[in-house]
């Protein structure tokens, strides 16, 4: 997953040069996910109307960085 120009890009592997999909983030809200929602730690969610996407970070550091960066370009919930 990569972030650029207010959009998340999804890749099958780190070696791919073309993304499989993209998600424009304008209008989305970012927030940490509750354990009751996903039963995992280090998960944040992006939501817009009835669309909700959950993402899990590899570490506490990357979790914090994703929330920090995404909160700058979304309707901040953090």
């Amino acid at each position: 997953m990569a972030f650029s120009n207010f959009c998340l890009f999804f890749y099958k592997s780190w070696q791919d040069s073309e993304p499989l999909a993209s998600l424009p983030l304008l209008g989305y809200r970012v927030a940490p996910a509750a354990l009751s929602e996903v039963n995992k730690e280090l998960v944040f969610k992006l939501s817009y109307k009835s669309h909700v996407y959950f993402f899990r970070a590899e570490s506490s550091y990357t979790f914090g960085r994703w929330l920090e960066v995404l909160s700058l370009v979304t309707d901040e919930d953090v």
Side-chain angles (χ1 to χ4, degrees), residues 4-60:
S4 179
N5 299 326
F6 303 100
C7 197
L8 281 179
F9 294 92
F10 302 92
Y11 298 84
K12 186 172 183 177
S13 80
W14 62 270
Q15 297 169 321
D16 293 346
S17 59
E18 296 294 321
L20 294 173
S22 63
L23 178 64
L25 296 178
L26 294 177
Y28 273 80
R29 298 179 74 96
V30 63
L35 278 175
S36 62
E37 291 178 295
V38 291
N39 200 26
K40 300 270 186 199
E41 294 182 345
L42 305 175
V43 177
F44 61 93
K45 65 180 176 181
L46 288 167
S47 56
Y48 177 76
K49 297 184 181 179
S50 63
H51 301 277
V52 179
Y53 300 94
F54 293 93
F55 300 92
R56 187 168 185 216
E58 296 175 346
S59 67
S60 296

Side-chain angles (χ1 to χ4, degrees), residues 60-72:
S60 296
Y61 175 77
T62 56
F63 176 77
R65 290 292 292 147
W66 275 115
L67 287 178
E68 181 183 338
V69 170
L70 292 175
S71 68
L72 295 173

